[in-house]
Amino acid sequence: MSSPKFATLRYTALRIGLFAVSFAVVWVLGYFRIIPLGVGSSNMIWLLLLAIVISAPLSFVLLRKQRDAMSEQIVAKVDRQKERLAANQRMEDGL
């Protein structure tokens, strides 16, 4: 894996990519009439919603390692901010 510095960016890019692949598969299935199309002009909305419903559980399973790395990155950043805040408060109380 690459640097943990970009864990959030990597997870987001993979999540968007997974959605794009899901949308492409749903679009092809709709194009060949394997799945029902929406009524009137609701076809695109139907395909987008279906792609979201498909990509969400897939990302939950397939992107577990990336999600954990992103979580560690966020927790580390929050801990650093808490330390800075505590140090600032100690400095103010000491004055």
Side-chain angles (χ1 to χ4, degrees):
M1 245 203 290
S2 64
S3 153
K5 182 178 180 180
F6 300 108
T8 303
L9 182 63
R10 185 174 44 257
Y11 175 75
T12 303
L14 287 171
R15 184 81 191 262
I16 291 171
L18 188 59
F19 170 75
V21 169
S22 297
F23 180 75
V25 168
V26 168
W27 185 82
V28 168
L29 292 174
Y31 181 79
F32 289 112
R33 308 275 191 224
I34 295 172
I35 60 172
L37 296 176
V39 178
S41 64
S42 68
N43 183 31
M44 190 57 65
I45 295 171
W46 161 250
L47 294 178
L48 285 171
L49 289 174
L50 190 57
I52 289 170
V53 168
I54 291 171
S55 69
L58 286 176
S59 70
F60 184 74
V61 174
L62 298 176
L63 302 179
R64 177 170 287 138
K65 288 180 185 177
Q66 289 81 9
R67 190 175 52 253
D68 290 343
M70 180 183 69
S71 175
E72 289 174 9
Q73 177 190 15
I74 292 171
V75 166
K77 191 175 283 189
V78 167
D79 287 343
R80 283 194 308 268
Q81 291 296 330
K82 284 182 180 179
E83 281 296 319
R84 281 190 208 148
L85 182 62
N88 286 341
Q89 287 175 344
R90 283 191 304 269
M91 198 166 77
E92 288 177 1
D93 290 343
L95 292 178

